[in-house]
Amino acid sequence: MQFRDLIKQYNVLKPEIDRAMVETAASGGYIMGKAVKELEASLAEYVGVKHCVSCANGTDALTLALKVWNIGAGDAVFVPDFTFFASAEVISLEGATPVFVDVDPDTFNMDPVHLETCIKRVIKEGKLNPKVIITVDLFGLPANYPAIRKLADQYKLLILEDAAQGFGGAIDNKRACSFGDIATTSFFPAKPLGCYGDGGAVFTDNDEWATLLDSYRVHGKGSFKYDNVRIGVNSRLDTLQAAILQPKFKAFKDYEVADINKAASYYTEKLKGVVKTPLIPQGYYSSWAQYTITLRNNQEREGLQAFLKEKGIPTMVYYPKPMHEQTAYKDLNYPKGSCPATEALCQTVLSLPIHPYISKEEIESVCEAIKEYFS
Ligand SMILES: Cc1ncc(COP(=O)(O)O)c(C=O)c1O
């Protein structure tokens, strides 16, 4: 059994993907070719925003957004303590300071109550200027935007939605990547919509920011290619990756998101009363980048993971270490207990195999093995 079976997906989509790759090779338009513009237009339409600017990966997508907003030294950027390192790393790369916010233990997403506590603390200390909230749509579930948008308005902060894992999710039919003032995603192969290498995209309704994003991703280009009007980066999405994403995006829209939701519901039904399963609040829709259960303690988690491994069932721990405990952030001196929900989750979460092509029998065998462990 595969944790996320990308080869199964390739075998289903092989004719379209092979054609896309061969056509790109024959076209000669390897950089910013036709497929890039076409993909950007179709992604923007799906998400329901005006602009999509593709780029080289999800980390660059976040960096480009921070550059557009001129975030740097002296600025505070609020970010969940429970996320992949890139969500925080980009803040430090721009010279700003990450402020780690605890998460809700049921949804795994940023806790708005702790967010407000952190904002107030930063204002009171008076050392940093609060500027941006990076929300993360963790494991495919959109963050609590109704509550976080209220706080952003109240404290005049911008929202950067990190939907690297969240593409395809929604709240009341409004899609992920449309909640932030700027939103980003990643096309890393194992993401809900993945390519065959690295890729990413930035979304916004703001015309001026879209123009800046387009400039920053190509060395800060001006209207004339060889007059560079700002310091930018080289972060384009390859035509080949855009071409591969086109048939994958069609499958994603046509059935993959629906099928992975069926798989997740089946897991939840089978695991009811056995372990704590993920909570999807009313009106929310997840694209299930991960299906993550929570055990009662670390010993139980480690024991179950080892037991499943023996049976050939792959699992992953996302994430084993809070941001504030990362070695790279030791100078920020966060004491133990700063983000208690995150600290507990890092000891107890376990992600199970899930993807749109997983069979009912595979899910049943995972659930049977979990039940056997607890019996
Ligand atoms: C929450 C989150 N943010 C950002 C990233 C960075 O994306 P990429 O690997 O495409 O740079 C990832 C990817 O792993 C992620 O999970």
Side-chain angles (χ1 to χ4, degrees):
M1 189 184 305
Q2 297 285 316
F3 185 71
R4 199 163 189 103
D5 200 337
L6 297 172
I7 294 172
K8 213 164 179 180
Q9 183 200 43
Y10 172 65
N11 288 330
V12 173
L13 302 176
K14 189 175 182 326
E16 297 96 308
I17 291 179
D18 286 359
R19 193 179 324 122
M21 291 195 287
V22 170
E23 279 178 11
T24 307
S27 77
Y30 308 129
I31 300 288
M32 297 304 262
K34 194 162 80 57
V36 176
K37 283 279 156 238
E38 285 172 1
L39 180 76
E40 288 176 340
S42 57
L43 293 174
E45 191 197 348
Y46 173 81
V47 164
V49 298
K50 250 171 116 177
H51 306 281
C52 168
V53 178
S54 62
C55 62
N57 55 67
T59 309
D60 280 3
L62 291 164
T63 298
L64 291 168
L66 294 177
K67 284 194 183 300
V68 163
W69 289 338
N70 207 14
I71 301 304
D75 294 334
V77 179
F78 302 89
V79 65
D81 198 40
F82 191 55
T83 183
F84 179 63
F85 191 62
S87 313
E89 176 186 35
V90 293
I91 303 166
S92 310
L93 261 179
E94 294 309 296
T97 303
V99 178
F100 300 120
V101 180
D102 209 357
V103 296
D104 176 328
D106 294 325
T107 63
F108 309 118
N109 278 334
M110 185 181 262
D111 172 5
V113 176
H114 192 235
L115 171 63
E116 183 162 29
T117 307
C118 293
I119 297 170
K120 283 182 172 163
R121 191 188 67 223
V122 169
I123 293 171
K124 193 164 169 225
E125 285 170 358
K127 291 188 201 136
L128 298 168
N129 300 312
K131 287 277 178 70
V132 176
I133 304 163
I134 297 185
T135 51
V136 178
D137 300 344
L138 204 74
F139 302 156
L141 180 71
N144 184 347
Y145 290 102
I148 293 173
R149 178 54 76 186
K150 264 193 211 144
L151 292 172
D153 290 347
Q154 187 181 340
Y155 293 97
K156 301 202 173 4
L157 302 170
L158 291 159
I159 296 181
L160 173 52
E161 176 185 359
D162 178 355
Q165 302 180 16
F167 192 79
I171 307 175
D172 294 331
N173 296 322
K174 182 172 161 56
R175 290 217 162 101
C177 288
S178 72
F179 297 107
D181 298 293
I182 297 182
T184 63
T185 197
S186 162
F187 302 127
F188 183 83
K191 294 287 188 264
L193 177 62
C195 62
Y196 286 167
D198 280 306
V202 192
F203 298 84
T204 186
D205 273 324
N206 185 300
D207 299 340
E208 194 188 324
W209 294 343
T211 306
L212 284 171
L213 288 165
D214 187 38
S215 166
Y216 275 118
R217 78 169 154 176
V218 187
H219 307 287
K221 69 173 182 183
S223 51
F224 165 54
K225 189 177 170 192
Y226 293 102
D227 179 25
N228 297 75
V229 295
R230 55 185 64 84
I231 304 298
V233 292
N234 175 9
S235 186
R236 294 168 297 229
L237 179 68
D238 292 343
T239 308
L240 187 62
Q241 299 301 348
I244 290 166
L245 278 165
Q246 285 180 315
K248 286 188 130 216
F249 183 41
K250 185 171 184 319
F252 182 84
K253 287 186 292 187
D254 287 354
Y255 62 88
E256 283 186 353
V257 188
D259 285 358
I260 204 166
N261 268 278
K262 281 187 209 138
S265 301
Y266 198 45
Y267 261 129
T268 300
E269 182 193 318
K270 291 270 155 199
L271 293 174
K272 200 163 172 233
V274 183
V275 287
K276 185 177 175 194
T277 53
L279 175 87
I280 306 300
Q282 187 71 30
Y284 282 61
Y285 190 70
S286 176
S287 56
W288 297 103
Q290 304 298 338
Y291 185 92
T292 302
I293 57 172
T294 310
L295 286 311
R296 281 172 300 196
N297 54 52
N298 184 250
Q299 197 188 354
E300 195 174 86
R301 197 261 308 274
E302 301 295 303
L304 177 61
Q305 186 171 38
F307 184 78
L308 294 176
K309 190 175 175 195
E310 255 175 45
K311 290 187 168 287
I313 298 170
T315 59
M316 299 293 283
V317 174
Y318 297 124
Y319 294 94
K321 218 171 186 194
M323 283 301 111
H324 76 266
E325 286 181 17
Q326 299 286 324
T327 307
Y329 283 129
K330 67 176 185 308
D331 292 351
L332 291 178
N333 290 318
Y334 275 66
K336 206 160 184 57
S338 312
C339 295
T342 299
E343 288 167 35
L345 288 174
C346 290
Q347 297 293 313
T348 53
V349 285
L350 190 66
S351 299
L352 305 179
I354 195 166
H355 54 88
Y357 301 87
I358 196 167
S359 66
K360 269 190 138 180
E361 292 70 33
E362 284 175 307
I363 295 173
E364 280 159 9
S365 72
V366 177
C367 297
E368 285 314 310
I370 293 173
K371 283 179 193 162
E372 193 186 330
Y373 174 74
F374 282 105
S375 61

